[in-house]
Amino acid sequence: MSETPISLSRWLIEQQRIHSQIPASLRLLIEQVARACKRISRAVNKGASSGILGSLQTENVQGEVQKQLDVIANDVLLEANEWGGHLAAMASEELERIHPIPHRFPRGEYLLMFDPLDGSSNIEVNVTIGTIFSVLHLDEGVEEVEARHFLQPGRRQVAAGYCTYGPQTTLVLTLGSGVTAFTLDPDQGGFVLTQDQLRIPAQTREFAINMSNLRHWAPPVRRYIDECLAGADGPRGKDFNMRWIGSMVADVHRVLQRGGVFMYPWDRREADRAGKLRLMYEANPMAMLVEQAGGLAIAGAGRILDIEPTELHQRAAVMLGSRDEIERLQRYHLEAESGAA
Ligand code: AHM
Ligand code: MG
């Protein structure tokens, strides 16, 4: 007889009770996020049949056109996490301002940030998209939560994760001691443990970057990619393969599964912007997951997790994945800074 699968709830309770890894309120928080992801997964699965594909006439704070599903996913996450008593406030890619927990509900000690539906340009073409989330602790003694209370460096995250909506719905989670993956079992209606202690191989022959921006990159990124493209005849002495899904959540999932490098670096198109991706609810949670799985995540010469944020919706350059490759890329940035390259 096959063994009974371990549900997400059981796994979380064991982390709390047996391993004393997490407080009950953090367990509740993760369960609520997972519940919301299940609902978003259902909405995504129904697709065009429920008439909820397509764009709205509105833009979000980033100036991007909102899709109906962006707004639905955002509402589902807000509603699921408002009343549990585990949160003090939330922040989202789709909301200009933070969302403090209404006074009619008990207030908790955590702050939750999310990109409700990452890769939403892929919705209509039925390609994997996902939800990314990051959990911080609210500093003690705060009466009224403000945006500045969220501005903590990524290394202070107490949990981070994402859920992919693709051929399978997969929840990947870190509570600060390794990375664990759960798969939604439609028969059981819940997430079950499918991979424990995920590790990213230190070496890889695969990279992911939007090559159409090549002419806009900074010299260290150009140097790294040029060397990969030169393959077995070049300085790396090996051929590389390229993959680019265009949903960060799916590209990073591949890196966590089999190694590789994912990059969305700074480029000259908007030179005064650090990058395209958002630090607080895209770069930081992915950086924590990747580093918890033995990889590395940098924004240039420094780690993403060491960036001191100044704005809720600020951008960051993102280069993450297999450790040996990202260390090489970091060295190219350091050499460029010191003028040695
Ligand atoms: P989104 O959060 O609005 O979906 O934007 C983020 C996405 C990432 O998932 C992906 O890596 C990137 O944007 C792709 O951008 P582009 O196609 O402009 O290069
Ligand atoms: Mg996104």
Side-chain angles (χ1 to χ4, degrees), residues 128-207:
T128 300
I129 49 181
T131 298
I132 310 172
F133 63 93
S134 161
V135 183
L136 291 165
H137 207 265
L138 177 64
D139 289 337
E140 272 170 32
V142 175
E143 291 281 323
E144 287 294 319
V145 190
E146 295 169 23
R148 66 190 166 91
H149 297 119
F150 284 80
L151 303 182
Q152 306 176 26
R155 61 174 181 274
R156 288 181 60 190
Q157 290 170 106
V158 296
Y162 62 80
C163 188
T164 61
Y165 312 116
Q168 297 121 39
T169 295
T170 309
L171 179 72
V172 179
L173 178 67
T174 180
L175 304 172
S177 54
V179 178
T180 311
F182 304 85
T183 305
L184 185 63
D185 178 347
D187 294 333
Q188 297 213 10
F191 286 99
V192 295
L193 176 70
T194 40
Q195 283 173 297
D196 209 0
Q197 294 299 332
L198 273 169
R199 300 304 290 170
I200 300 177
Q203 290 167 10
T204 183
R205 288 167 179 249
E206 200 162 67
F207 66 88

Side-chain angles (χ1 to χ4, degrees), residues 96-151:
E96 184 173 357
R97 295 172 200 286
I98 66 161
H99 180 91
I101 297 302
H103 290 300
R104 64 182 184 280
F105 299 123
R107 196 182 94 165
E109 57 188 312
Y110 293 105
L111 303 172
L112 174 66
M113 282 174 286
F114 43 82
D115 175 355
L117 213 48
D118 178 62
S120 49
S121 66
N122 275 329
I123 292 174
E124 280 80 13
V125 289
N126 197 6
V127 166
T128 300
I129 49 181
T131 298
I132 310 172
F133 63 93
S134 161
V135 183
L136 291 165
H137 207 265
L138 177 64
D139 289 337
E140 272 170 32
V142 175
E143 291 281 323
E144 287 294 319
V145 190
E146 295 169 23
R148 66 190 166 91
H149 297 119
F150 284 80
L151 303 182

Side-chain angles (χ1 to χ4, degrees), residues 5 54 77 93 96 135 137 163 225 251 259 282 308 331 335:
L77 279 155
E93 178 181 329
E96 184 173 357
V135 183
H137 207 265
C163 188
I225 296 294
D251 280 309
E282 292 182 321
E308 296 288 338
R331 179 158 52 81
E335 286 175 7

Side-chain angles (χ1 to χ4, degrees), residues 64 93-94 115-120 130 132 247-249 276-278 281-282:
E64 299 158 343
E93 178 181 329
E94 301 301 332
D115 175 355
L117 213 48
D118 178 62
S120 49
I132 310 172
S247 297
M248 182 201 204
V249 78
K276 175 181 176 178
L277 299 172
R278 277 52 56 121
Y281 39 80
E282 292 182 321

Side-chain angles (χ1 to χ4, degrees), residues 12-13 15-17 19-31 86 109-110 135 137 158-159 175:
L12 286 167
I13 283 174
Q15 298 304 304
Q16 181 200 334
R17 204 181 49 208
H19 306 296
S20 306
Q21 295 240 350
I22 53 165
S25 51
L26 184 56
R27 171 172 65 82
L28 183 64
L29 191 166
I30 301 295
E31 293 211 58
H86 49 283
E109 57 188 312
Y110 293 105
V135 183
H137 207 265
V158 296
L175 304 172

